[in-house]
Amino acid sequence: MAKGRVNPNHTLETQGITGLGTVYYNLREPDLIAQALCLGEGELGQGGTLLVSTGKFTGRSPNDKHIVKTDSVADKIWWDANRAMSPEGFDRLYDDMLAHMAGRDYFVQDLFGGADPAHKLDVRVVTELAWHSLFIRHLLRRPEAEDIDSFEPEFTIINSPSFRADPERHDCRSETVIALNFDRKLILIGGTEYAGENKKSVFTLLNYMLPEKGIMPMHCSANHAPGNPVDTAVFFGLSGTGKTTLSADPERVLIGDDEHGWSDRGTFNFEGGCYAKTINLSREAEPEIYETTQKFGTVIENMVYDPETKELDFEDDSLTPNMRCAYPLDYISNASPTALGGHPKNIIMLTCDAFGVLPPIARLTPAQAMYHFLSGFTSKVAGTERGVTEPQPTFSTCFGAPFMPRRPEEYGALLREKIAKHGATCWLVNTGWTGGAYGTGSRMPIKATRALLTAALDGSLEDAPFRKDKNFGFEVPTHVKASAVPDILLDPRRTWDDAAAYDRQAAKLVQMFAENFAQYEEHIDDDVKAIAIREAASA
Ligand code: ATP
Ligand code: MN
């Protein structure tokens, strides 16, 4: 049985997916919430939010993600970082998944990725969970109601958390599987309830498809000056570095918080919603995001709350530190209605340096920007494991290795070309530790980061005095006029009690960069290589 609105020429049945229970097509938010509650998938929260938990998986499973190795993609994929699945394994996986789905109810959303009509990708998302349907409806872009009648899915995602993969039979790694098949235009997800897999698989698709059209896909947030899309900024960064937090700036127009493309016409959001971390979310520091946690339909994942009042506890990370909320872009009051921006005037590379070495802001030459883009450095704090106090360095190329099917140099070259063509200014911003490494120092105050970004984006930072950093060679301002940022904060060495300890830590970090970068040296331009060699020498 089918309910809801769908293009009669493109139902699941016409796609060969038959034998399901009730299929709910394109339900809107109120009905999706009603279904989720009725199925016991979650609880109603304050303001009409939906409170859910994702069970065993509270984050993505990058090691269970596979790309099907068909002839048409075999020489385009970066197999060192992407796991292959055989076409035969995939075919069995698909058959077994369909057999598993028989008789069960499913929810279908017909959506698209890409706010620029010239580059959008129509995607059908078929989910077992009603709340996944609500989640992906928030996160991707929603067609007009009348466009549903003529919707033709280009790719289809099927997500069945209750399905268990068989590594032998399906040529995968565990019971959890995410498999992308570019030939069959299918993505199959099984064995995990973590909703973020849905949105990041669309991202992976676009990251594969767009470079061939000369479009740079970016794991970044973006915003622009009020009334002036020409003044666009993008913020690259790995998880937890501040993309979502810093792009929701009350003084600027939000384009998007996570995934964008850069075409000849400018930047465009791939998505239609945001997925924000809620750990220690404060009304004062992040008012815009805080508000969304009480708005109708916001999906709130893995948060502890009062069982009676449903009041959220932002400090309690006992389910996971990766607790989140998902909401449509327009829940941020100053979000762009078009989700389009100009060519980035400023490119910010965010890093959360828990070693406390990198300065809160530095200006990069184009070659340095390429070096940091290919390095993709951030660090994770130990914290969750007892006795582990050293921060863990993470180098994830293009600030998003798990979502990049192609070789990093391909994205690097495209970015470099666009930076040169449009004259963007590049910055490195450390949102991590100051005054010492994790354990001794403290996290950079959001206020300071915001003040520095404001100065960079409004151009006033260009007039500041700069010093050249001894360890990394980039330029660091020594004084920022009319801002709440004390000079000492700009020089991490001075924020440490023990300057010699800083120097040792800095040398170690330079060494880590150099060791990691060795893998790219043979594929890159000479000026970027020169930076790599200089760093290796100073380490
Ligand atoms: P993801 O890719 O996983 O969505 P993200 O880059 O969007 O990650 P955020 O969700 O913005 O990262 O997370 C940054 C976290 O760090 C937030 O919880 C924020 O409150 C906290 N934070 C603390 N200090 C800062 C700072 N100076 N700048 C940015 N964020 C900070
Ligand atoms: Mn984010």
Side-chain angles (χ1 to χ4, degrees):
M1 195 172 51
K3 288 188 175 167
R5 190 165 178 175
V6 65
N7 177 351
N9 301 320
H10 286 273
T11 63
L12 286 187
E13 272 163 358
T14 62
Q15 278 180 271
I17 303 173
T18 56
L20 305 187
T22 303
V23 179
Y24 297 94
Y25 286 102
N26 296 304
L27 295 191
R28 307 295 191 93
E29 292 74 6
D31 284 339
L32 287 170
I33 293 171
Q35 286 286 345
L37 294 174
C38 181
L39 293 164
E41 292 178 3
E43 290 197 283
L44 195 62
Q46 288 189 5
T49 59
L50 184 67
L51 308 168
V52 295
S53 96
T54 63
K56 186 169 140 201
F57 293 91
T58 56
R60 283 178 299 100
S61 308
N63 296 328
D64 291 307
K65 189 166 160 186
H66 302 261
I67 294 181
V68 180
K69 195 166 188 174
T70 54
D71 292 345
S72 60
V73 302
D75 57 358
K76 296 181 187 158
I77 304 292
W78 182 32
W79 294 112
D80 296 345
N82 290 280
R83 277 172 201 270
M85 177 183 276
S86 65
E88 298 74 29
F90 182 89
D91 292 346
R92 284 191 290 271
L93 178 67
Y94 186 48
D95 290 345
D96 291 351
M97 206 175 239
L98 291 190
H100 174 82
M101 290 164 72
R104 292 173 199 257
D105 298 347
Y106 272 80
F107 298 86
V108 177
Q109 290 290 330
D110 291 331
L111 302 162
F112 63 95
D116 184 337
H119 307 299
K120 77 183 176 76
L121 179 74
D122 287 335
V123 187
R124 167 168 286 175
V125 187
V126 184
T127 64
E128 179 181 318
L129 297 172
W131 82 261
H132 274 187
S133 200
L134 179 63
F135 172 92
I136 203 65
R137 196 173 156 77
H138 287 334
L139 261 298
L140 291 187
R141 301 192 62 80
R142 300 159 288 278
E144 300 294 332
E146 58 275 16
D147 293 340
I148 291 290
D149 301 333
S150 56
F151 188 91
E152 295 181 17
E154 192 170 337
F155 271 83
T156 300
I157 299 177
I158 302 178
N159 188 331
S160 172
S162 66
F163 177 82
R164 295 285 175 272
D166 174 347
E168 289 270 294
R169 207 175 134 67
H170 303 131
D171 192 24
C172 56
R173 199 192 65 110
S174 78
E175 291 189 334
T176 300
V177 68
I178 299 112
L180 285 79
N181 190 326
F182 291 107
D183 282 18
R184 296 192 65 178
K185 298 184 180 287
L186 278 170
I187 299 177
L188 305 178
I189 304 174
T192 169
E193 285 179 45
Y194 187 68
E197 302 286 9
N198 294 299
K199 72 164 228 134
K200 279 300 201 297
S201 24
V202 177
F203 188 42
T204 310
L205 270 184
L206 290 166
N207 288 342
Y208 176 73
M209 296 168 74
L210 294 181
E212 277 178 358
K213 297 164 101 186
I215 298 165
M216 171 69 194
M218 309 179 286
H219 189 213
C220 72
S221 59
N223 63 22
H224 69 72
N228 188 13
V230 168
D231 185 351
T232 291
V234 296
F235 307 74
F236 282 97
L238 287 158
S239 186
T241 57
K243 292 184 299 300
T244 301
T245 302
L246 299 167
S247 60
D249 178 342
E251 304 300 318
R252 292 176 66 89
V253 176
L254 177 69
I255 302 171
D257 83 323
D258 200 49
E259 310 169 3
H260 294 79
W262 184 356
S263 76
D264 287 343
R265 313 204 299 193
T267 42
F268 60 99
N269 194 348
F270 291 167
E271 302 184 292
C274 303
Y275 193 27
K277 287 185 198 295
T278 53
I279 186 167
N280 301 325
L281 183 64
S282 103
R283 177 174 259 154
E284 198 235 328
E286 298 171 63
E288 298 278 341
I289 297 173
Y290 188 90
E291 289 289 305
T292 69
T293 63
Q294 303 215 346
K295 289 196 178 174
F296 179 75
T298 294
V299 175
I300 297 182
E301 275 179 21
N302 297 323
M303 281 194 72
V304 174
Y305 53 87
D306 183 300
E308 273 175 51
T309 64
K310 315 295 180 202
E311 193 181 332
L312 302 170
D313 185 340
F314 292 93
E315 268 72 55
D316 190 337
D317 62 356
S318 54
L319 290 176
T320 169
N322 188 31
M323 54 229 225
R324 294 207 182 227
C325 64
Y327 48 87
L329 259 178
D330 60 14
Y331 276 16
I332 299 289
S333 58
N334 54 345
S336 160
T338 61
L340 301 172
H343 296 291
K345 199 170 137 193
N346 286 282
I347 294 178
I348 320 284
M349 298 185 178
L350 300 170
T351 179
C352 174
D353 171 23
F355 296 99
V357 167
L358 295 172
I361 194 163
R363 187 168 55 196
L364 305 174
T365 63
Q368 286 167 343
M370 211 33 50
Y371 181 79
H372 286 277
F373 177 73
L374 288 174
S375 296
F377 169 71
T378 192
S379 48
K380 290 180 195 142
V381 293
T384 42
E385 268 174 76
R386 271 197 301 163
V388 183
T389 50
E390 269 281 284
Q392 306 293 317
T394 306
F395 289 94
S396 181
T397 193
C398 311
F399 295 105
F403 324 117
M404 303 299 161
R406 295 171 182 269
R407 281 207 61 89
E409 297 83 3
E410 202 173 325
Y411 300 104
L414 202 49
L415 181 64
R416 178 143 211 201
E417 184 191 304
K418 291 196 185 285
I419 289 174
K421 185 164 174 199
H422 300 285
T425 307
C426 302
W427 308 87
L428 184 73
V429 167
N430 175 16
T431 63
W433 266 252
T434 176
Y438 173 78
T440 314
S442 53
R443 185 97 192 242
M444 197 71 69
I446 296 186
K447 251 194 184 147
T449 304
R450 279 203 195 281
L452 291 169
L453 285 173
T454 301
L457 302 187
D458 72 15
S460 59
L461 197 55
E462 290 291 344
D463 306 327
F466 281 82
R467 67 176 170 89
K468 196 167 180 145
D469 187 84
K470 252 189 21 237
N471 299 298
F472 286 90
F474 42 50
E475 292 181 301
V476 182
T478 53
H479 175 75
V480 181
K481 250 195 293 190
S483 91
V485 183
D487 291 355
I488 182 171
L489 196 79
L490 296 167
D491 186 356
R493 191 170 187 267
R494 282 169 60 204
T495 67
W496 284 49
D497 286 339
D498 180 351
Y502 174 86
D503 291 337
R504 282 195 302 275
Q505 187 71 275
K508 265 199 235 168
L509 186 61
V510 169
Q511 176 75 31
M512 291 178 211
F513 265 87
E515 279 168 16
N516 170 69
F517 203 83
Q519 62 183 306
Y520 306 116
E521 271 166 28
E522 61 175 285
H523 305 276
I524 48 151
D525 297 343
D526 286 346
D527 53 348
V528 182
K529 196 179 294 177
I531 291 168
I533 290 164
R534 200 188 60 79
E535 293 205 346
S538 73

